[in-house]
């Protein structure tokens, strides 16, 4: 009986054309975005075009040296939870560095960005009496799960719609505990939230603000503090959440906020209390990455340049690229089977790896390629990808946009 149930569940995913296959890759130190693909016909070198290592910091020599040193100095694992023998000095240094990055009093590390969202939002909903969370309609799954786990009341407001948010705020008791939860850069379309305006509404209606900056930290602002850093509004946001696994190139998640809020999450969040802490070697690498990107803007400059160049090249061929204000480059396919076949052809024929983005990551009918140029994708790679997509769009008979 059980086997049939599981087989039927997988068959349903396959029938919808959204069965996910993992690309077996081995990244090459010093050669990013190149990687070795272990495919059905053996090993092959491919170019990776969908990595969240947005700035190539996973290959940065300062980061690698810091991790080698920490491994020799401290060993492999943390040895316990943060409460029991698992707080290493690298954790303390990194939390302080992250708090400084966002201009907050304190920071708190988690093992992933998913965990930091889930644990923090659920804990806030539990601590604040009669809390209601107002969540942007396109918030990440980790935020949705955190809100659900907290079992507080929730209201979903239309994506980036300030009028809808205010309409929902104004009917609530002014003194009731409220949290407005949203993201800065939304990773599928690449659009950016009107942070200052949301914060103004929060002040007007007595709400806390919680922002997910995972796709923006390291990427924007004079010190890489994200969109809140770029726009000079970090001091207006109560809780800034981020990741160490994207632009910073390592692993882990975190929050920064006032000392009281961070202490509450540290003391009450079961996802923090009962998890073995991040390996010191990872904390050391993240620390080196954060410090480097506070001082260096060259990686951000090149990444933004390559992102805009790719958008322009694709648009010039009439390929349906979404023009956003961020570094994300979505190309719409709008069919799960074609999306998968297209990415298979990119890998097989052109040695270009792009993962198809299908439901439930995006709504049905909104399937796409999500391209992420880095500072290390040079002009040759940009041209090869553009030419490959142009040829495949013709061979698959896909609809084109009006050429730019």
């Amino acid at each position: 009986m059980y086997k049939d149930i599981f087989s039927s569940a997988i068959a349903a995913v396959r029938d919808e054309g959204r069965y996910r296959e993992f690309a077996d890759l081995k990244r090459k130190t010093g050669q990013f975005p190149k990687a070795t693909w272990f495919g059905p016909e053996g090993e092959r070198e491919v170019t990776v075009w969908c990595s969240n290592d947005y700035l190539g910091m996973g290959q940065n020599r300062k980061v690698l040296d810091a991790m080698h040193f920490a491994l020799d100095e401290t060993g492999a694992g943390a040895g316990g939870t943060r409460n029991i023998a698992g707080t290493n000095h690298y954790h303390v240094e990194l939390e302080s560095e992250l708090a400084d990055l966002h201009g907050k009093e304190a920071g708190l590390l988690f093992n992933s960005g998913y965990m930091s969202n889930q644990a923090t939002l659920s804990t806030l909903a539990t601590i604040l009496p009669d809390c209601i969370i107002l969540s942007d309609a396109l918030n990440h799954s980790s935020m949705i799960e955190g809100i659900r786990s907290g079992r507080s009341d929730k209201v979903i407001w239309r994506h980036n719609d300030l009028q809808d948010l205010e309409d929902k705020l104004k009917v609530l008791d002014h003194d009731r505990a409220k949290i407005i939860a949203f993201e800065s850069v939304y990773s599928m379309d690449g659009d950016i939230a009107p942070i200052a305006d949301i914060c103004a509404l929060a002040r007007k209606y007595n709400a806390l603000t919680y922002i997910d900056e995972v796709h923006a930290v390291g990427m924007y602002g004079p010190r890489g503090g994200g969109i809140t850093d770029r726009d000079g509004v970090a001091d207006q946001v109560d809780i800034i959440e981020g990741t160490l696994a994207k632009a910073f190139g390592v692993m882990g998640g975190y929050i920064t906020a006032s000392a009281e809020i961070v202490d509450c999450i540290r003391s009450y969040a079961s996802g923090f209390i009962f998890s073995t802490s991040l390996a010191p070697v990872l904390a050391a690498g993240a620390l080196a990455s954060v410090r480097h990107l506070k001082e260096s803007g060259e990686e951000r400059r090149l990444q933004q340049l390559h992102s805009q160049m790719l958008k322009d090249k694709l648009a010039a061929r009439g390929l349906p690229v979404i023009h956003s204000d961020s570094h994300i480059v979505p190309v719409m396919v709008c069919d799960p089977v074609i999306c998968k076949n297209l990415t298979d052809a990119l890998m097989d024929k052109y040695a270009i790896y792009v993962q198809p983005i299908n439901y439930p990551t995006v709504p049905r009918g909104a399937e796409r390629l999500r391209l992420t140029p880095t500072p290390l994708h040079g002009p040759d790679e940009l041209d090869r990808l553009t030419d490959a997509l142009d040829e495949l769009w013709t061979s698959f008979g896909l609809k084109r946009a009006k050429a730019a």
Side-chain angles (χ1 to χ4, degrees):
M1 178 184 75
Y2 297 113
K3 183 178 185 301
D4 290 342
I5 293 172
F6 294 134
S7 297
S8 177
I10 293 299
V13 175
R14 288 186 182 276
D15 290 344
E16 290 182 29
R18 59 183 184 90
Y19 180 76
R20 301 185 181 204
E21 297 178 1
F22 297 156
D24 184 355
L25 301 172
K26 182 183 287 185
R27 303 205 325 164
K28 298 182 176 183
T29 302
Q31 298 183 49
F32 185 77
K34 302 297 184 183
T36 299
W37 173 45
F38 294 83
E41 297 179 3
E43 299 180 20
R44 185 182 182 191
E45 183 179 85
V46 298
T47 303
V48 178
W49 269 101
C50 55
S51 173
N52 283 339
D53 188 359
Y54 292 139
L55 300 178
M57 290 302 293
Q59 306 285 310
N60 182 277
R61 180 45 57 186
K62 289 182 182 178
V63 174
L64 300 182
D65 287 347
M67 295 181 76
H68 281 297
F69 182 84
L71 181 63
D72 291 337
E73 181 186 39
T74 69
T81 65
R82 289 293 297 275
N83 295 299
I84 305 175
T87 294
N88 186 278
H89 188 59
Y90 283 116
H91 299 131
V92 178
E93 284 190 287
L94 180 54
E95 286 171 339
S96 176
E97 201 74 34
L98 291 167
D100 173 77
L101 176 66
H102 296 294
K104 300 299 182 188
E105 292 179 342
L108 190 67
L109 286 173
F110 293 83
N111 288 9
S112 70
Y114 191 105
M115 185 183 292
S116 54
N117 270 335
Q118 194 279 333
T120 303
L121 284 167
S122 63
T123 302
L124 289 169
T126 302
I127 291 175
L128 295 171
D130 194 27
C131 177
I132 183 168
I133 299 180
L134 298 98
S135 177
D136 185 286
L138 294 188
N139 276 343
H140 189 263
S141 172
S142 58
M143 301 175 76
I144 295 169
E145 185 58 35
I147 294 167
R148 182 184 294 120
S149 300
R151 299 181 180 178
S152 67
D153 289 343
K154 68 176 184 297
V155 171
I156 298 172
W157 50 287
R158 287 194 296 270
H159 175 55
N160 279 349
D161 189 326
L162 294 168
Q163 186 59 59
D164 189 52
L165 174 59
E166 183 164 20
D167 288 344
K168 288 175 167 56
L169 282 165
K170 67 175 56 173
V171 300
L172 300 174
D173 187 323
H174 184 78
D175 293 328
R176 185 178 183 184
K178 297 176 284 292
I179 302 170
I180 302 173
F182 61 107
E183 301 181 36
S184 59
V185 175
Y186 288 84
S187 65
M188 288 299 114
D189 288 341
D191 54 336
I192 296 174
I195 301 172
D197 292 331
I198 292 172
C199 290
L201 288 176
R203 291 192 297 272
K204 181 177 180 180
Y205 292 101
N206 188 33
L208 293 174
T209 45
Y210 180 103
I211 191 169
D212 175 318
E213 283 255 52
V214 298
H215 290 279
V217 291
M219 301 292 293
Y220 300 91
R223 299 200 309 157
I227 300 297
T228 51
D229 183 23
R230 185 197 72 177
D231 295 351
V233 295
D235 61 326
Q236 300 179 36
V237 181
D238 294 295
I239 304 166
I240 297 177
E241 183 266 351
T243 185
L244 304 167
K246 293 183 170 62
F248 292 126
V250 191
M251 180 182 175
Y254 65 89
I255 61 164
T256 63
S258 69
E260 291 81 9
I261 289 176
V262 169
D263 204 17
C264 276
I265 303 304
R266 182 186 71 84
S267 301
Y268 283 89
S270 60
F272 173 81
I273 294 169
F274 296 106
S275 290
T276 297
S277 55
L278 205 64
V281 66
L282 296 173
L287 179 63
S289 184
V290 173
R291 285 175 172 168
H292 174 78
L293 290 174
K294 280 183 176 180
E295 301 295 329
S296 173
E298 181 63 8
E299 292 85 359
R300 289 188 284 275
R301 186 191 70 81
L302 281 174
Q303 196 285 327
Q304 289 289 336
L305 174 64
H306 294 167
S307 177
Q308 189 58 54
M309 288 174 63
L310 181 59
K311 290 174 184 177
D312 292 344
K313 287 176 180 291
L314 296 175
R317 306 286 184 96
L319 300 176
V321 59
I322 295 178
H323 288 274
S324 70
D325 293 328
S326 76
H327 58 285
I328 306 295
V329 185
V331 183
M332 302 305 295
V333 180
C334 303
D335 181 281
V337 175
I338 294 176
C339 197
K340 175 65 166 60
N341 291 340
L342 189 68
T343 56
D344 285 348
L346 277 171
M347 187 77 110
D348 294 338
K349 186 175 180 181
Y350 302 95
I352 290 172
Y353 170 53
V354 179
Q355 189 70 16
I357 305 295
N358 293 335
Y359 177 84
T361 307
V362 294
R364 289 183 174 90
E367 294 81 12
R368 67 195 64 189
L369 310 180
R370 179 181 175 275
L371 306 173
T372 54
T374 74
L376 303 175
H377 286 87
D380 289 344
E381 283 88 4
L382 292 169
D383 288 340
R384 282 191 65 247
L385 176 63
T386 302
D387 290 342
L389 286 175
D390 190 20
E391 292 175 13
L392 289 175
W393 232 257
T394 297
S395 64
F396 277 75
L398 296 177
K399 184 178 179 181
R400 294 179 184 256
K402 184 177 180 181

